[in-house]
Amino acid sequence: MLIKKRSGIEIPSSEITPESVYLSRRQFMRGAALSTAAVAAGGLLAACGAAEADGTENIATGSAAEESVVQTAMPGSVSATADELGDPLNSFEEITTYNNYYEFSTNKEAVAPLAKDFPTAPWRVEVGGLVNKPKTFGLEELLAFEQKERIYRLRCVEGWSMVIPWLGFPLAKLLNEVEPTSAAQFVRFETIEDKENMPGVNSPLFPWPYVEGLHLDEAMNDLAILSTGLYGKALLPQNGAPIRLVVPWKYGFKSIKSIVKIDLVDTMPQSLWMKAAPTEYGFFATVNPNVDHPRWSQATERRIGEFGRRETLMFNGYGEQVAHLYDDPNYDTTQGTQGQIR
Ligand code: MTE
């Protein structure tokens, strides 16, 4: 089985833009210091569906077009104004008011107001399963991992996308700390199920809690991060505070929010979407413009804030970093029923 591993990401350095410059650039450029730190089941989601260093860095893979920007999140530090392809960041406003978070609402604009007072502290993430050193991490311990900025494209399976300057740290760092055993093959993630503060989880339309999963080799890829912030600020509830997954080469539904549990397991986890709409959202579903969703084309996408549509890139533009993971013909990364092990 075999999702192959590869290393070899090179790390050139780049500059830090002073916060004042960054803040004045464009109305969508906001910055601040990170303090400490198938609509309706069966068709819902119109669904959705490293570098160590001192200072600021870029992670590159050899060709400029494949670069992913990574920066150290320091109070006052800021990011670039665009991703490595030259596409401008979406505004803080866009990123925090147009959200998919079904625990609150299936209406994207309703999520932020409904999530406004969602309690995100204290918070604990229990990491266990097939590991040598199971551990429950408090928020402070999660924020103690070096937080860096990564500018990634987020492509929702529904056909819209954004460019987001996340803050966070590689998932691999957390997994290495708990030491997965040789039996571990998959990682299962679970969102908090807070009936009192999340109106959506009282809906019988979905098999709560929200669960997602990755193959261990996907999870250990450097691009997969646990995010605690964006635009230099701690995450807001609507974006998955206090901690969420971001897997930029996969459709957005994989990037599970407000995580409370991470388990290393030996069998493929059943995600909420696999249960709710099994013919549409397979486990290995990955951004692929050549494979249509059963109900719509995936060839193009609408970048929030733009008119018209743009072409969707294979692996969302991160092929150089991740395509090798799927060389094994036993894996089909298309979505729906085909997104399973053959
Ligand atoms: N995580 C949870 N727990 N619940 C959700 O409904 N929606 C997913 C993903 N993570 C979702 C979730 C989908 S479909 C997308 S596209 C992204 O979150 C959207 O992230 P954003 O709102 O921060 O842009």
Side-chain angles (χ1 to χ4, degrees):
M1 78 154 262
L2 315 261
I3 290 188
K4 291 188 208 152
K5 294 189 173 84
R6 187 185 65 170
S7 56
I9 290 180
E10 298 161 26
I11 309 158
S13 61
S14 72
E15 61 177 12
I16 296 176
T17 308
E19 185 176 41
S20 54
V21 174
Y22 171 78
L23 288 172
S24 64
R25 273 185 179 151
R26 296 179 59 170
Q27 62 92 7
F28 58 73
M29 300 300 300
R30 313 271 177 96
L34 180 68
S35 53
T36 32
V39 172
L44 294 169
L45 249 192
C48 285
E52 298 299 336
D54 50 359
T56 301
E57 317 164 318
N58 281 344
I59 281 187
T61 55
S63 90
E66 300 287 345
E67 283 185 357
S68 298
V69 178
V70 177
Q71 297 192 327
T72 299
M74 295 184 295
S77 78
V78 293
S79 74
T81 58
D83 67 9
E84 81 284 5
L85 303 180
D87 292 327
L89 307 185
N90 279 93
S91 69
F92 182 82
E93 188 73 14
E94 288 165 339
I95 297 167
T96 58
T97 58
Y98 187 84
N99 300 102
N100 268 333
Y101 201 164
Y102 278 24
E103 286 87 337
F104 291 97
S105 175
T106 55
N107 173 345
K108 293 174 180 45
E109 282 84 13
V111 171
L114 283 169
K116 189 167 52 73
D117 299 321
F118 178 67
T120 57
W123 196 269
R124 287 144 64 103
V125 181
E126 194 186 328
V127 189
L130 300 170
V131 299
N132 290 323
K133 297 180 174 171
K135 177 172 175 177
T136 297
F137 292 82
L139 193 50
E140 290 301 318
E141 290 168 294
L142 296 166
L143 291 170
F145 285 96
E146 190 181 11
Q147 310 289 311
K148 294 191 176 182
E149 183 161 86
R150 295 206 180 192
I151 297 177
Y152 285 158
R153 293 170 289 285
L154 174 83
R155 168 60 157 87
C156 180
V157 74
E158 295 167 336
W160 56 267
S161 62
M162 294 200 207
V163 181
I164 302 177
W166 300 105
L167 286 171
F169 57 96
L171 171 63
K173 290 201 172 180
L174 180 124
L175 296 180
N176 285 335
E177 198 162 315
V178 298
E179 293 182 7
T181 68
S182 56
Q185 291 192 55
F186 296 92
V187 188
R188 179 185 182 279
F189 304 86
E190 196 175 302
T191 294
I192 192 169
E193 185 178 358
D194 181 345
K195 288 190 163 61
E196 201 182 320
N197 295 295
M198 295 171 138
V201 300
N202 296 302
S203 159
L205 289 176
F206 295 97
W208 309 107
Y210 197 101
V211 167
E212 260 305 338
L214 293 174
H215 187 279
L216 184 56
D217 290 344
E218 296 175 316
M220 296 302 270
N221 187 280
D222 182 67
L223 291 188
I225 61 165
L226 287 169
S227 172
T228 58
L230 60 83
Y231 263 111
K233 307 179 189 186
L235 281 183
L236 292 175
Q238 58 266 39
N239 293 107
I243 188 160
R244 58 133 358 127
L245 182 68
V246 182
V247 195
W249 70 96
K250 293 187 157 273
Y251 289 114
F253 64 85
K254 282 274 167 190
S255 293
I256 180 172
K257 298 177 171 181
S258 305
I259 298 168
V260 288
K261 203 165 185 303
I262 300 177
D263 279 314
L264 281 287
V265 295
D266 56 5
T267 50
M268 184 189 290
Q270 290 293 303
S271 70
L272 174 140
W273 285 111
M274 288 163 75
K275 290 181 189 165
T279 58
E280 304 195 352
Y281 309 109
F283 184 85
F284 282 104
T286 295
V287 178
N288 186 341
N290 307 314
V291 179
D292 290 341
H293 184 279
R295 293 182 284 130
W296 58 84
S297 165
Q298 293 292 31
T300 63
E301 67 200 53
R302 180 173 64 92
R303 179 66 47 86
I304 299 303
E306 287 183 358
F307 295 109
R309 297 184 73 82
R310 53 167 64 212
E311 288 187 359
T312 286
L313 303 175
M314 186 66 198
F315 293 112
N316 205 20
Y318 300 101
E320 191 162 339
Q321 293 97 327
V322 303
H324 64 281
L325 292 171
Y326 308 102
D327 286 348
D328 191 302
N330 283 326
Y331 288 95
D332 185 340
T333 59
T334 58
Q335 57 195 28
T337 48
Q338 301 149 57
Q340 315 288 334
I341 292 180
R342 280 193 189 118

